[in-house]
């Protein structure tokens, strides 16, 4: 293998003074050393057009794309039609999961209380229209409720010590018709009951101030009647889809058996248009597929977008579970593009599940160094679709800008926060890295076999809120 030639990037050393007459040279120690961009890099880089990525983000981020909804399915159809317009055979891989649609309306009224209450539902709160005497039930632990009779009552319970689900189940077991849980910290309480359960009674959340006001009235000896209404919630089986466009090796005789997967998730959280999370990765996957379509490669490349990532990486786990042992051992790399275009986020980084380098990070550090003079740093992290690949022993990395933008998972994650420069930069680094391995005269690093590693729940999810 040829040794890379180090070249001083003179252009980056030139800084012009405000008046424009004086040239100031940076201190030699600040001058970056740039590896020459290879001819093969240019083949990819020159074709990547951030405008295409931007336009697809714009199209996809008109609405939230919650897994299992019509809007996610519309996105799936659009992604498939884009892949097909580039000439790919495209497969839609359906899978089912247990989902929850939040209530369309909810209300708490208390006879004998003047203030206005602004309840929130829990994920997996069940529908109902119940009323009964309001009764304080402390933290709602089994110990506290031993011997209590809550028959027909609405239990007022404070947050803390045990999960929301346990509080609801403990109160229900003592006969409660409904449950109100109030926060133990300032601000609204948005929580989850974790999973559907036939034993749940209608349960809503109030703020600390609201709960304490009700408690003060009860403690002063008032008799209060509470009514709780929840409508439109729906728990049940849902269908989501992965979209897979496959580029077979160009020349069967010179092909290897390897498979490279480039992926992203196309779903978003409720209420968020998900321009950056993750229409950006989806649109970048599409652009890389377009660019690679007519470029000869000796390696199979699968361009795919996953459904239901936001609900627990369900689509990517389904895809990896659907692979045969043979396909798993032939899959040498997973490039996971998730949140790759925000103006308001930091620099590009790569996350691997174990924090170690692997084929994906080696190829990408080499390409980023050739293109920009800096190798993209590697950190440890899960939280996205590279997790199932890494768990199966496949070298995998998440591409993301760090720190994350303030619009993450919010209604403000919109197209106006997207930077075309960032899109171009990440697509070039990833495109050049893939091509370094997949081109015919490949000289890239050899794949390393990884130890299988199981992600702990903490590596997949953030800590569960209690
Ligand atoms: N794109 C995020 C992951 C992410 C966000 C990584 C910020 C690093 C920084 C992803 O879509 C997501 O929100 N993941 C969930 C976990 C998943 C297992 C449901 C998360 O991080 O809460
Ligand atoms: Zn995401």
């Amino acid at each position: 293998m040829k040794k890379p030639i180090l070249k001083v990037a003179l252009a980056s050393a030139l800084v012009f003074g405000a008046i424009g007459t004086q040239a100031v040279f940076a201190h030699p120690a600040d001058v970056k050393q740039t590896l020459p961009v290879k001819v093969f890099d240019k083949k990819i880089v020159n074709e990547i057009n951030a405008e295409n990525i931007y336009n697809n983000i714009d199209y996809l981020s008109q609405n939230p794309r919650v897994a299992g909804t019509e809007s996610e399915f519309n996105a799936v159809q659009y992604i498939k039609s884009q892949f097909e317009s580039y000439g790919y055979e495209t497969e839609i891989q359906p899978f089912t999961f247990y989902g929850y649609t939040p209530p369309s309306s909810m209300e708490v009224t208390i006879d004998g209380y003047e203030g206005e209450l602004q309840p929130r539902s829990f994920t997996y709160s069940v529908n109902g229209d119940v009323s009964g005497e309001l009764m304080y039930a402390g933290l709602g632990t089994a110990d506290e409720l031993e011997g209590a009779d809550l028959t027909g009552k609405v239990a007022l319970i404070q947050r803390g010590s045990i999960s929301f689900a346990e509080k609801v189940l403990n109160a229900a077991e003592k006969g409660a018709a409904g449950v109100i849980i109030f926060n133990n910290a300032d601000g609204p309480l948005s929580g989850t009951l974790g999973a559907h359960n036939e034993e749940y009674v209608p349960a809503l959340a109030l703020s600390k101030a609201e709960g304490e006001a009700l408690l003060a009235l009860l403690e002063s000896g008032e008799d209060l009647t509470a009514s709780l209404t929840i409508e439109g919630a729906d728990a049940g089986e849902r269908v989501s889809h992965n979209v897979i466009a496959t580029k077979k090796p160009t020349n069967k005789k010179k092909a290897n058996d390897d498979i490279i997967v480039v992926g992203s998730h196309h779903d978003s959280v409720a209420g968020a248009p998900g321009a950056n999370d993750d229409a950006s990765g989806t649109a970048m996957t599409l652009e890389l597929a377009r660019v690679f379509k007519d470029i000869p490669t000796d390696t199979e490349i699968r361009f795919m977008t996953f459904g239901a990532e936001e609900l627990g990486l369900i689509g990517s786990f389904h895809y990896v579970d659907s692979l045969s042992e043979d396909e798993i051992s032939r899959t040498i790399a997973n490039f996971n593009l998730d949140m790759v275009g925000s103006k308001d986020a930091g620099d590009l980084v790569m996350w691997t599940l174990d924090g170690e380098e692997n084929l994906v990070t080696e190829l990408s550090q080499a390409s980023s160094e050739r293109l920009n003079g800096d190798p993209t740093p590697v950190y440890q992290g899960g939280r996205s679709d590279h997790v199932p690949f890494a768990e199966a022993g496949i070298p995998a990395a998440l591409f993301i800008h760090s720190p994350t933008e303030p619009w993450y998972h919010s209604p403000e994650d919109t197209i106006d926060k997207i930077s075309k420069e960032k899109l171009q930069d990440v697509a070039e680094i990833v495109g050049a890295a893939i091509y370094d391995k997949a081109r015919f005269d490949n000289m890239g690093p050899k794949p390393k076999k990884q130890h299988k590693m199981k992600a702990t729940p903490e590596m997949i999810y953030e800590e569960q809120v209690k």
Side-chain angles (χ1 to χ4, degrees), residues 164-370:
F164 301 128
E166 286 170 298
K167 291 172 194 277
V168 175
L169 291 172
N170 289 345
E173 207 196 316
K174 296 294 171 186
V179 172
I180 296 172
I181 300 175
F182 65 98
N183 211 345
N184 56 5
D186 289 339
L189 170 53
S190 320
T192 176
L193 302 180
H196 177 69
N197 190 319
E198 294 290 330
E199 307 296 320
Y200 290 153
V201 291
L204 289 173
L206 292 180
S207 69
K208 181 171 182 247
E210 291 168 329
E212 285 177 350
L214 296 178
L215 182 57
L217 280 178
L218 287 177
E219 282 176 344
S220 72
E222 293 266 349
D223 282 338
L224 302 177
T225 303
S227 303
L228 234 106
T229 314
I230 305 178
E231 285 173 347
D234 179 30
E237 197 166 86
R238 306 271 190 275
V239 183
S240 179
H241 305 83
N242 298 327
V243 190
I244 308 170
T246 303
K247 175 179 163 58
K248 290 281 181 197
T250 312
N251 180 336
K252 271 194 190 147
K253 286 191 192 135
K254 293 189 196 160
N256 57 42
D257 275 341
D258 299 344
I259 302 168
I260 293 176
V261 174
V262 192
S264 49
H265 70 91
H266 56 242
D267 66 316
S268 76
V269 295
N276 199 42
D277 186 11
D278 185 29
S280 66
T282 300
M284 196 173 288
T285 304
L286 287 172
E287 178 62 359
L288 290 170
R290 189 191 68 77
V291 167
F292 273 93
K293 179 65 186 72
D294 294 319
I295 292 193
T297 55
D298 62 7
T299 302
E300 178 171 328
I301 309 177
R302 295 185 187 175
F303 299 93
M304 56 182 77
T305 73
F306 300 107
E309 186 266 359
E310 299 286 7
L311 302 177
L313 320 178
I314 301 174
S316 49
F317 268 112
H318 179 82
Y319 170 74
V320 173
D321 285 348
S322 76
L323 296 175
S324 63
E325 276 298 318
D326 177 56
E327 275 175 303
I328 288 184
S329 63
R330 285 164 53 211
T331 306
I332 58 160
N334 165 237
F335 293 77
N336 176 25
L337 312 175
D338 191 359
M339 301 172 70
V340 284
S342 176
K343 275 179 185 164
D344 308 304
D347 290 336
L348 182 66
V349 299
M350 292 180 280
W351 281 13
T352 60
L353 187 58
D354 58 6
E356 301 291 326
E357 296 187 359
N358 60 38
L359 177 68
V360 176
T361 63
E362 283 169 25
L363 288 166
S364 308
Q365 290 204 318
S367 68
S368 57
E369 198 164 3
R370 291 196 301 277

Side-chain angles (χ1 to χ4, degrees), residues 392-414:
I394 296 166
L398 163 68
F399 292 75
I400 189 164
H401 291 111
S402 181
T404 311
E405 65 277 12
W407 327 119
Y408 167 59
H409 282 186
S410 85
E412 273 70 57
D413 183 6
T414 43

Side-chain angles (χ1 to χ4, degrees), residues 11-89:
S12 68
L14 278 176
V15 181
F16 291 100
I19 309 165
T21 50
Q22 225 182 350
V24 180
F25 288 90
H27 186 274
D30 296 330
V31 175
K32 279 182 189 164
Q33 298 198 309
T34 310
L35 300 169
V37 175
K38 300 263 168 55
V39 177
F40 64 74
D41 289 328
K42 289 204 176 129
K43 218 167 159 177
I44 300 298
V45 163
N46 291 348
E47 290 304 314
I48 293 171
N49 185 350
E51 211 64 46
N52 293 333
I53 308 178
Y54 187 87
N55 291 340
N56 275 331
I57 298 174
D58 195 16
Y59 182 89
L60 288 164
S61 62
Q62 303 296 321
N63 300 299
R65 303 171 300 282
V66 176
T69 65
E70 193 183 344
S71 133
E72 190 208 28
F73 190 64
N74 291 340
V76 162
Q77 296 296 334
Y78 178 75
I79 294 160
K80 180 172 187 265
S81 72
Q82 290 298 97
F83 278 137
E84 286 175 346
S85 76
Y86 313 142
Y88 284 95
E89 281 212 7

